């Protein structure tokens, strides 16, 4: 029986191709559970998954909550408003308190890069990074890879164009790690002030990453176009693009989508700035997999919670 060796999910730099494949295969096995009239198994009955979200979230928080509940776990959620974070309690004290209250796993989002690593050093329960500053968002990357696999059959050999605010994007960083490990090539595109060249160097597979600020050229022959949100909340005036000009040069519209492979898919981690990163016409068009990403997020996060709880891939889910 193969056990899952990873203790935490902090980013995908420490995950091997086999670890990522284990998460994606287990997520596939979770989908039928979600299609049952009562989408719940008793696998994690008696366990508590704590969520500490000190930055706004809709998709990640709700899908982790649904994922934990579908596996039979109890869930406690702490957001800034109404918690002692508002009174100035440090994040270290908050997560220690959560563990003392009986949490068996912690899912954490924080505006400061590195906070999930601090939690992993402080606590002795599995830690899942649900997004830390501009650093990493590994569960988003795993659900993105699950979606690419489902829609295109495999990740290996695919040309993935990630376009937009690369500078501030934790989604881009985790996807550079994950996609290149799984054999895809990644082209980063966006206005030059939002397109740092050093990101090519974060992966062990540097020959699989390139940058091109000319989106029309980058998109030719793409299998996947992943548009990113312009993160106004993280911009300084130095790097904030003119939104109208940005939309003209980088918004994914029908004409631009036509430059990609005919069966190319459009993705976006959400939330979308409508009309800025993608036109309404393509956001809800046939090639858009944005809603599938949301649904796949629950199965993928069930897989992550299940594997980090010490479950083996081979144990029939729901019978462990
Ligand atoms: N994609 C993503 O992280 O969305 P939320 O901020 O809504 O969780």
């Amino acid at each position: 029986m193969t056990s899952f060796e990873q203790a935490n999910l902090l980013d995908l730099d420490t995950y091997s191709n086999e670890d990522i494949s284990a998460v994606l295969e287990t997520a596939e096995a979770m989908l039928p559970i979600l299609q049952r009239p009562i989408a719940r198994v008793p696998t994690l009955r008696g366990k508590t998954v704590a969520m500490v979200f000190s930055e706004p979230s809709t998709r990640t928080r709700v899908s982790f909550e649904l994922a934990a509940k579908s596996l039979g776990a109890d869930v406690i959620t702490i957001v800034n408003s109404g918690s002692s974070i508002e009174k100035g309690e440090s994040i270290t004290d908050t997560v220690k308190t959560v563990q003392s209250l009986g949490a068996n796993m912690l899912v954490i989002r924080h505006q400061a890069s590195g906070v999930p690593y601090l939690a992993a050093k402080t606590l002795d329960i599995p830690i899942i990074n649900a997004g830390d500053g501009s650093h990493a968002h590994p569960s988003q990357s795993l659900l993105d890879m699950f979606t690419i696999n489902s829609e295109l059959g495999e990740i290996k050999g695919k040309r993935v164009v990630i376009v937009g605010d690369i500078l501030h994007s934790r989604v881009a960083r985790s996807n550079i790690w994950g996609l290149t490990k799984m054999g895809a090539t990644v082209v980063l595109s966006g206005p030059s002030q939002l397109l740092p060249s050093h990101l090519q160097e974060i992966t062990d597979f540097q020959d699989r990453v390139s940058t091109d600020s000319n989106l029309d050229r980058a998109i030719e022959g793409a299998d996947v176009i992943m548009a990113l949100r312009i993160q106004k909340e993280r911009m300084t005036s130095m790097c904030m693009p003119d939104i109208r000009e940005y939309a003209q040069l980088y918004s994914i519209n029908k004409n631009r989508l036509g430059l990609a492979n005919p069966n190319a898919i459009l993705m976006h981690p959400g939330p979308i700035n409508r009309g800025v990163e993608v036109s309404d016409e393509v956001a809800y068009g046939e090639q858009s997999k944005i809603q599938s990403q949301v649904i796949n997020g629950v199965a993928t996060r069930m897989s992550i919670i299940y594997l980090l709880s010490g479950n083996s891939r081979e144990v029939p889910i729901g019978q462990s």
Side-chain angles (χ1 to χ4, degrees):
M1 206 174 274
T2 329
S3 60
F4 190 67
E5 299 293 339
Q6 296 286 342
N8 303 301
L9 175 62
L10 299 175
D11 197 5
L12 296 181
D13 54 343
T14 57
Y15 272 50
S16 65
N17 179 303
E18 290 72 28
D19 293 330
I20 294 170
S21 297
V23 175
L24 304 187
E25 283 162 25
T26 307
E28 193 70 49
M30 296 297 177
L31 278 179
I33 297 172
L34 293 171
Q35 283 149 9
R36 292 180 192 173
I38 299 173
R40 197 159 287 205
V41 290
T43 311
L44 297 186
R45 190 187 284 151
K47 303 284 183 199
T48 299
V49 176
M51 324 264 300
V52 172
F53 275 61
S54 64
E55 205 188 49
S57 169
T58 298
R59 290 150 202 79
T60 311
R61 184 167 61 79
V62 174
S63 63
F64 265 119
E65 283 179 1
L66 286 174
K69 286 178 183 169
S70 294
L71 288 168
D74 293 320
V75 176
I76 48 176
T77 300
I78 294 170
V79 296
N80 285 8
S81 174
S83 77
S84 291
I85 298 171
E86 275 193 327
K87 298 180 194 163
E89 184 174 57
S90 76
I91 192 68
T92 307
D93 287 343
T94 300
V95 298
K96 275 185 178 168
T97 304
V98 160
Q99 183 173 359
S100 300
L101 288 169
N104 302 102
M105 184 176 286
L106 173 67
V107 181
I108 182 163
R109 168 171 288 196
H110 202 275
Q111 62 278 11
S113 299
V115 164
Y117 292 78
L118 182 67
K121 280 199 181 121
T122 309
L123 309 186
D124 53 12
I125 55 175
I127 308 295
I128 298 173
N129 181 358
D132 63 325
S134 299
H135 174 246
H137 196 350
S139 68
Q140 178 70 45
S141 170
L142 288 163
L143 79 86
D144 290 343
M145 288 191 281
F146 182 86
T147 304
I148 295 170
N149 241 347
S150 305
E151 298 295 333
L152 301 178
E154 61 179 342
I155 298 166
K156 192 172 176 189
K158 296 291 183 281
R159 179 179 167 87
V160 181
V161 176
I162 306 180
V163 53
D165 181 3
I166 310 285
L167 179 68
H168 301 102
S169 178
R170 53 198 180 200
V171 176
R173 279 170 182 72
S174 289
N175 265 315
I176 290 170
W177 278 114
L179 288 166
T180 57
K181 284 186 190 213
M182 298 305 281
T185 59
V186 176
V187 185
L188 306 170
S189 187
S192 53
Q193 74 270 33
L194 300 178
L195 192 60
S197 57
H198 72 268
L199 278 190
Q200 278 170 267
E201 290 155 27
I202 70 168
T203 164
D204 299 329
F205 301 95
Q206 293 176 13
D207 56 327
R208 295 181 190 160
V209 187
S210 59
T211 58
D212 190 344
S213 58
N214 182 327
L215 177 61
D216 290 349
R217 186 169 56 208
I219 224 167
E220 267 181 49
D223 300 295
V224 179
I225 299 146
M226 194 182 286
L228 300 175
R229 185 172 68 87
I230 291 288
Q231 299 189 41
K232 292 179 194 148
E233 74 278 18
R234 297 193 214 277
M235 299 271 178
T236 62
S237 56
M238 294 288 282
C239 60
M240 183 73 188
D242 177 272
I243 291 298
R244 229 168 13 167
E245 194 182 320
Y246 177 88
Q248 248 171 23
L249 291 172
Y250 295 103
S251 179
I252 307 299
N253 53 31
K254 209 172 169 191
N255 287 344
R256 287 216 164 93
L257 203 51
L259 299 171
N261 276 341
N263 63 346
I265 59 170
L266 171 67
M267 299 170 69
H268 191 303
I272 299 174
N273 292 308
R274 276 167 172 254
V276 177
E277 298 115 19
V278 289
S279 68
D280 279 356
E281 183 185 30
V282 299
Y284 300 98
E286 220 170 90
Q287 287 169 275
S288 170
K289 302 301 163 197
I290 297 170
Q291 290 311 311
S292 306
Q293 285 174 271
V294 174
I295 296 158
N296 292 339
V298 181
T300 306
R301 286 167 175 138
M302 283 174 79
S303 164
I304 295 164
I305 293 171
Y306 177 83
L307 290 170
L308 290 177
S309 301
N311 289 291
S312 161
R313 303 163 54 176
E314 281 85 2
V315 175
I317 295 158
Q319 294 172 33
S320 56

